[in-house]
Amino acid sequence: MLANNNRKVIRRMAGRSVRNNLRRNLIMTAAVVLASFMLFCIFTVGVTWIKLYRLQNIRLNGGDYDAVLYGVTEEQREKCESDPAIRQTGTVGIAGYISATENDDTMEAGCVWADEAYWNEIMAPARVSVEGTYPVDENEVMVTGEGLERSGLAGFGVGDSFSAQYVDAAGNTLTKQFTISGIWDGFGEKSAFYVSEAFYRESGFQIADAASGRYYLDFKQTVITPGQQAAYEERLDLGKKQVLFFNSDAEYSLPVFLGLCGLALITCLCAYLLIYNIMYLSVSQNVRYFGLLQTIGMTQRQIRMLIRRQMLLTGGSGIAAGILLGSAVSFQLLPYIIRLMGIRTGTVGEIRITFQPAVFLLSIAVAALTIWAGSRKPIRLAEKVSPLEAVSYRPACGRDGWHRTGRGRLLWRMAVGQITKDKKKSAVIMVSLAAGLSVFLCMTTLADSQGARTIVTNHMDADLVLRNDTLDKEDPAEWKQIMDEEFLKELTDTDGVQEIYPFYTAEIMVPWDPDFMELWMEEFYAKWMNIPYEEAAEEYREHPENFPTSIVGISENEVEYLQETLDESSVPFDKEAFLRGETCVLYRNDLDLTPEDAAGKSVTCVAFRTMDGAEGSQPPDNPASADAGSIYGNMTGGEKSRKFEIAGMTNEGYYYTGTTQGITPTVIVIDTALKEFAADPFVEKTGVRYEADAAVPAENHVMDLIQASPDTSDFSWESKLDSMRDAERAQGNLSLVSTGIALLLAVIGILNYINTVLGNVQNRQMELAVLESVGMTDRQRNFLLILEGFCYGAGSLVLTGTVGLAVTYLIYQSMNYMQAPFMVPAGPVVGMTAVTLAVCIAIPVAAGAGMIRRRSVIERIRGIG
C-alpha cells in the first residue's frame, strides 16, 4: 500500500479527535496536570529541604562536619588526614570548666580549645560575627554575649578582665584572672569559653582521652550509608573508650531522599496506569476506525503519528498547566511545608524558594517519560489492526470458551465473572486505586505516629515529672527534702491527678568483693576512666567510702516497666523476689557486661551519711565482712548494710540519677526495701499522670501547689503538655498537608476508575440491554453494578491492607529516628475504606442510570449511538 503525505490532515484529525472525545481527554489532561504538579512540588521540596536541612544542622551542630570522634590517637589522625574521602578535619579539646566567676558562684561553663582548622574552617559557617581575635596567651578567652550574661559578666567587652575559678584535669579548683580577647556570635554551644592552646596544655588534659579530645571529620560525599559508617568505624580500630558519632545529615538524609524518590515513583505509577488505561480503552473501542483509516491509505507510521499527536496535545497542555501550577504554589505553600518537615527558621532564616532549572527540566522529562510509557503499548495495538480485522471486529471482553453453570447467587456470579473476564484491565484498576490508597495510608500513619502526643514521652508516659534541684549541689549539707510525705499526699489529692510515682534515693557505698565488684570496677575504669584500675584498686578495697553511689527506690507500679527495660538474659526476672526486697537491678552505664556476668551474684549496700548530710561513724575496716548470710543487719558503729542479689541490669537513663552518680553501680530496689534501709530517703523526682480528660486543669492545680511551697525555687519540672504544644507548633498542620498530598494521588486513581467504569458500561450496553429484554429489572441491574463496584473496591483495599501496609511499615521504620511506636490510625483508615467503597459503588450505578436515560433497550441492542 502506498503512503500518502497527509501530515496536515493528521494534525486536523488529531485536533478533531481531542475535541470529540472531550470527556476522556479532560480526564487524561487532569491526570497529567496533577502528576506534573506533584513531581514539580516533590522535586522542589526535596532540593530545598536538603539544602536547608544541611544549613540547619551546620548551625545546630555548631559547625560543618559529618562525624566526631571522642579521643583520637596519632595513628588515627594520620589515617584520617591521608584519606582522600575526607575533605577537612579539626581538633577540639575540653580543658575543664569554669565553676564560678566574681559575680556568679553557681555557674558551670566548659573551657574549650579549638585548633585553627576547626575555628577557621569547620566552625566558620555557624558564626555570624567575630569581634577581636582568637586567644593566644594562656589567660585569654573568646566568649559570646550570651555566655557572659550567664556568667554574671553582662556588659563586659573585648579587653576587659575578670576573675574566675576553674577545675583542671586533676580535679583541682584554681583561681585565675582572664582577659577577653574576642566576642563571637552565631550558633552552637554559646556558653563555652574558648581558650588558647597554651591554656589547654597547662590544664593537664590530653587529646587522646575520650573525655577531652574531639576530632571532627568532614567527608566529601553528601550521603554516608550505615554500611559505610560501620566500615569507617572498623577502619579506625577504635579503643574501648572511643566513640565515633555521625550527625543526622549523614544518618537521615538518605532515608528522606529515598522517601521523596518513592513518592515521585508512586506519582508516576498512578499517572502511568491512568494514561495506559485511557489509551488502551480508546484504541480497543476504535479498532474499526483505525482499520478503515488504513483502507484509505493511512500507514501504520501515520497512525502512530496521529495517536502521538493526540498525546502531544493533551500531555503537553497538561504538563504546562501542572508546571505553572507548581511554580505558583511553590512560592506560597512550599515554605510552609518545609517548615512542617522540621526546618527551623531560627537557624536558617527566612525560607525562600528559588527557581531551579534542573528541577524544571527534570519534572518535564519525568512527566513526558510517564506519558510515553503509558501510551506505548496502546499505540502498538492500534498499528497492528488490519483492515480485514477491522471489518469483522466486534467488541469482546475476556476469553471465549465453554464454562460450566455455577452454583450460588446468580448476580454475585455475574459480577465476579465480569471482573475476571479481563483480568488485566481489572488489575490495572485495582492497582491504580491501591497505589493512591497506600500513599494515603503511609502519610496518615507517619503523621499520626509522629504526632506530638506520640513523640513527646516521659518515663512511664508521665504527664509531668517534678524534680528536686537541691540534690544537684555538691555539698550534701545543702540537700533538702522538698517533696516530703505531706507534699506527696497533697499532690495525690490534687483534682485531676490520677497517679504519682515517687523516685526515692539515698547515698551509699558498695564495698569491694572479689566476686562481682572487682569485675565491675575493671570494666568501669576501662570504659570511662583515664587511669588504669590498678592505680585505684587498693584505695577502693581499703576506703570504699571514697567511692560513693546511690541506691534508688521505685514503686510497685513501676516494676513492670523496669522489667521491660532490662537487658536480655537467659535468667528470668523474679518479680516477687524484687517486691520482697531480696533482689536489685543495676544501672549498667553502657559497660560491656552481660546479665549472665551478674547472674547469681550480689552487692552489699552500706549507708554512711545521715539525713542532714553530716558524716556518720566510720565504717569498719572491711565492710564486706558484714553478715553476708542475712538480708538485713547492723554494721559496727551503728551503720546499716543490706545485701541484694542482682536480678538484672538496665541502661534506662531515668535511673542513672540519685544523690550521687558514682563509679560503683547505681542500685535499683523496691521503695519499701529502701525505706527500711534508709529511714527517710530523699524524693529526687516524682512522675505525675493526669486523668485523661483533665490534663490542663490538673497541671494548673499542680503548679499552684508548687507555688505555694516554701521551696518553690528548688523545683524544676518537665511537662508533657508544654512539650506537646512546642511539637504541635513545630509540626503545624502536618497531618492536613500529608493528607492533601495523599488525596492528590488518590484522585488520579479515582479518575482512572471513573474512566474505566464509564467505558466498561458503555461497551456493555448491548449485553445489559439483552439482559433487560429477558426480564432483568432496574433494581437487579443496579445491584449487579453495585456488586461489581464493590469487588473493585474490595480488591484495592485488600492490596492496600497487604502490600501497601508492608511498604508503609518499611518506610516508617527507615525514617523513625524518634523511635515512636508504629500505629495505624483507626479514624482515617475507616474513613478511607468507607469513601473508597462508596465511590466504587456509586460510579457504576450512575453510569448505568445515564445509559438508560439516553437510549432505549431497542437502540442499545442495535448499537445505535
Side-chain angles (χ1 to χ4, degrees), residues 573-603:
F573 178 76
D574 189 343
K575 181 178 178 180
E576 295 303 320
F578 186 86
L579 293 175
R580 291 194 299 268
E582 299 173 1
T583 62
C584 69
V585 172
L586 303 183
Y587 177 72
R588 188 163 62 87
N589 210 347
D590 287 325
L591 301 185
D592 295 330
L593 294 174
T594 65
E596 284 69 23
D597 292 328
K601 299 177 182 178
S602 60
V603 293

Side-chain angles (χ1 to χ4, degrees), residues 5 10 30 73 120 225 231 310 383 386 396 457 530 616 629 657 688 713 717 754 777:
N5 186 9
I10 290 175
T73 64
N120 293 329
T225 65
Q310 296 174 6
E383 289 176 338
S386 67
T457 58
N530 296 324
T657 51
V688 183
S713 60
W717 55 84
I754 292 174
T777 64

Side-chain angles (χ1 to χ4, degrees), residues 689-739:
R689 184 178 293 175
Y690 304 137
E691 295 175 0
D693 55 349
V696 174
E699 182 146 311
N700 292 335
H701 293 153
V702 173
M703 293 298 109
D704 292 340
L705 180 62
I706 293 174
Q707 293 300 323
S709 171
D711 303 303
T712 301
S713 60
D714 294 324
F715 278 96
S716 63
W717 55 84
E718 180 182 351
S719 169
K720 188 173 185 177
L721 291 180
D722 290 344
S723 300
M724 285 172 55
R725 294 187 190 104
D726 293 340
E728 287 169 352
R729 282 194 293 269
Q731 292 179 342
N733 296 320
L734 178 59
S735 59
L736 294 179
V737 174
S738 302
T739 302

Side-chain angles (χ1 to χ4, degrees), residues 473-480 507 609 611-614 682:
K473 297 180 179 180
E474 293 187 9
D475 186 358
E478 299 183 38
W479 298 347
K480 293 191 295 184
E507 191 175 35
R609 289 191 193 272
M611 273 297 299
D612 61 3
F682 288 101

